[in-house]
């Protein structure tokens, strides 16, 4: 059965000049194959240059001039992966693409499962999550931190698909619902799950990066994790409350014990227990202040309501009438 589906591929990228020629070639070939197969009617690849300092934008612009399937958006400066992704998603909604697939420019996500995603979409699913079936390509540290993050998010009630990144298909209805989220500190993979429309998952094996280097070092991964945790749960704040109550109970018991020792004249001078107590209480207070500070910082960022990004330049064929 042939479908007249308009498909948009949103590809955020930052300093990917080594990878972009391969990415453009493979994604273009994938769209042509899908059109020939009848899975889609036509397709467009939307590259979002997130403030690259290398030759990425020139490659995108030249490719757009020679390939009618390619559109390019250059952001004025680096605003982060999630905001760059959002810029591409907004453009796909403006194009009224029936289905939109987001994928990273490194093509570590397996584009061959796009067929399965479209099949699931045509069978009534508004969202199709691309889920990794293993993490064998990750280092021990990345595997451990990712596993810990997903487990922790599940424990605090965060709506997130285990081992899902930002490789997914969304229908136009789901995309329009997503665009109603006003927050600036975005954790898109959690936001999509909370929409609640029918969804399913397709599984694939993530590949090794073919060229270039990862744009997500440990520091960015940790910051991304903090955004996800503080965006979707108040449980860390509740943990502070329970920790304070627990310390109050322990302090009450120690006070009673100290008074008893004083009344029975069996007190002795010492500093070990005092120092341990001071260090513990001080560390607990600083940790609690840090957690509260994370939430206050998110609130501060949200209430300013600054634009997520500015477009410096775009290819002529990405202008919408």
């Amino acid at each position: 059965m042939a479908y007249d589906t308009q498909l948009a591929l949103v590809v955020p990228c930052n300093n990917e000049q080594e990878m972009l020629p391969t990415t453009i070639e493979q994604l273009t070939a994938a769209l042509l194959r899908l059109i020939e197969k009848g899975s889609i009617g036509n397709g467009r690849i939307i590259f979002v240059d997130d403030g690259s300092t290398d030759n990425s934008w020139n490659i995108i612009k030249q490719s757009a001039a020679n390939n009618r399937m390619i559109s390019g958006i250059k952001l004025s400066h680096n605003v982060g992966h999630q905001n760059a992704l959002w810029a591409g998603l907004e453009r796909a909604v403006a194009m009224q693409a029936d289905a939109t697939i987001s994928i990273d420019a490194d093509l570590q996500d397996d584009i061959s499962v796009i067929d399965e995603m479209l099949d699931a979409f045509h069978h009534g699913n508004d969202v199709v999550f691309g889920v990794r079936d293993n993490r064998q390509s990750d280092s021990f540290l990345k595997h451990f931190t990712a596993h810990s993050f997903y487990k922790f998010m599940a424990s605090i009630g965060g709506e997130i698909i285990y081992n899902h990144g930002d490789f997914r298909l969304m229908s136009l209805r789901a995309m329009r619902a997503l665009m109603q989220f006003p927050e600036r500190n975005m954790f898109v993979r959690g936001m999509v799950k909370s929409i609640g429309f029918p969804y399913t998952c397709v599984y694939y094996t993530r590949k090794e990066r073919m060229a270039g280097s990862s744009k997500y070092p440990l520091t960015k991964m940790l910051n991304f994790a903090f955004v996800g945790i503080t965006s979707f749960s108040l449980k860390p704040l509740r943990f502070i409350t329970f920790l304070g109550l627990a310390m109050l109970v322990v302090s009450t018991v120690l006070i009673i014990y100290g008074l008893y020792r004083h009344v029975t004249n069996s007190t002795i001078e010492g500093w070990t227990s005092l120092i341990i107590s001071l260090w513990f209480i001080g560390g607990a207070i600083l940790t609690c202040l840090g957690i509260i500070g994370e939430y206050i910082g998110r609130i501060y960022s949200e209430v300013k309501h600054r634009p997520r990004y500015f477009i410096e330049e775009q290819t002529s064929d990405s202008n919408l009438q």
Side-chain angles (χ1 to χ4, degrees):
M1 180 178 178
Y3 295 93
D4 193 31
T5 303
Q6 297 182 51
L7 175 65
L9 300 180
V10 174
V11 189
C13 52
N14 173 252
N15 293 333
E16 293 284 3
Q17 63 178 10
E18 297 92 348
M19 189 64 205
L20 275 173
T22 301
T23 302
I24 291 168
E25 179 184 356
Q26 292 194 18
L27 291 181
T28 300
L31 286 182
L32 290 173
R33 180 179 57 80
L34 291 168
I35 292 172
E36 183 179 358
K37 183 182 175 182
S39 297
I40 61 174
N42 56 68
R44 175 61 64 89
I45 308 170
I46 305 170
F47 286 96
V48 183
D49 182 3
D50 186 21
S52 296
T53 56
D54 62 4
N55 201 41
S56 295
W57 175 244
N58 289 330
I59 295 173
I60 294 170
K61 190 160 60 170
Q62 182 179 356
S63 298
N66 299 324
N67 186 340
R68 63 180 180 81
M69 289 185 169
I70 295 177
S71 297
I73 303 170
K74 178 176 174 57
L75 304 185
S76 59
H77 71 290
N78 183 267
V79 294
H81 179 273
Q82 298 292 280
N83 285 306
L85 174 61
W86 194 269
L89 297 179
E90 286 189 325
R91 179 53 52 88
V93 171
M95 291 170 56
Q96 298 196 42
D98 299 309
T100 301
I101 294 177
S102 55
I103 185 170
D104 290 339
D106 56 22
L107 289 192
Q108 288 185 266
D109 298 316
D110 188 359
I111 62 175
S112 67
V113 301
I114 290 177
D115 297 72
E116 295 181 51
M117 288 181 164
L118 286 168
D119 286 342
F121 165 71
H122 291 140
H123 282 85
N125 291 285
D126 286 280
V127 182
V128 185
F129 295 101
V131 180
R132 298 174 61 174
D133 56 12
N134 65 72
R135 284 190 168 268
Q136 295 177 357
S137 61
D138 288 349
S139 64
F140 171 79
L141 178 61
K142 189 169 183 178
H143 175 82
F144 175 77
T145 52
H147 181 73
S148 300
F149 169 71
Y150 284 112
K151 292 281 286 184
F152 183 74
M153 284 294 290
S155 69
I156 64 174
E159 293 190 286
I160 187 170
I161 300 293
Y162 185 76
N163 272 348
H164 165 67
D166 284 303
F167 182 35
R168 73 183 71 87
L169 178 149
M170 297 182 67
S171 69
L172 182 57
R173 178 174 75 148
M175 289 279 287
R176 285 172 173 164
L178 180 65
M179 292 298 109
Q180 296 181 42
F181 283 74
E183 56 253 48
R184 265 50 186 166
N185 294 291
M186 291 187 295
F187 188 65
V188 178
R189 65 190 65 173
M191 294 160 63
V192 172
K193 179 65 169 60
S194 65
I195 290 174
F197 290 158
Y199 74 90
T200 188
C201 300
V202 299
Y203 297 87
Y204 68 97
T205 300
R206 189 170 170 84
K207 304 174 183 177
E208 295 283 352
R209 172 182 272 270
M210 289 183 280
S213 58
S214 173
K215 306 305 182 294
Y216 255 89
L218 181 61
T219 52
K220 283 191 175 181
M221 288 175 59
L222 290 175
N223 181 66
F224 188 55
F226 283 132
V227 171
I229 293 167
T230 55
S231 296
F232 284 91
S233 179
L234 295 176
K235 287 191 177 181
L237 291 175
R238 291 172 186 157
F239 169 76
I240 291 174
T241 302
F242 289 122
L243 179 62
L245 291 173
M247 292 179 66
L248 180 62
V249 172
V250 172
S251 299
T252 302
V253 172
L254 290 176
I255 289 171
I256 294 172
Y257 175 74
L259 290 174
Y260 169 77
R261 298 279 295 196
H262 177 74
V263 170
T264 57
N265 295 318
S266 56
T267 56
I268 58 174
E269 294 184 0
W271 59 271
T272 302
S273 59
L274 178 63
I275 292 298
I276 292 174
S277 299
L278 287 175
W279 277 105
F280 174 75
I281 294 172
I285 291 173
L286 289 176
T287 301
C288 295
L289 287 174
I291 294 174
I292 295 171
E294 283 288 332
Y295 280 93
I296 293 175
R298 306 297 175 205
I299 296 170
Y300 173 69
S301 177
E302 293 294 337
V303 297
K304 288 188 294 185
H305 206 69
R306 290 181 176 177
R308 295 185 176 97
Y309 59 86
F310 292 103
I311 296 176
E312 177 182 336
E313 188 179 351
Q314 58 188 1
T315 59
S316 58
D317 59 349
S318 64
N319 289 318
L320 302 175
Q321 302 301 324

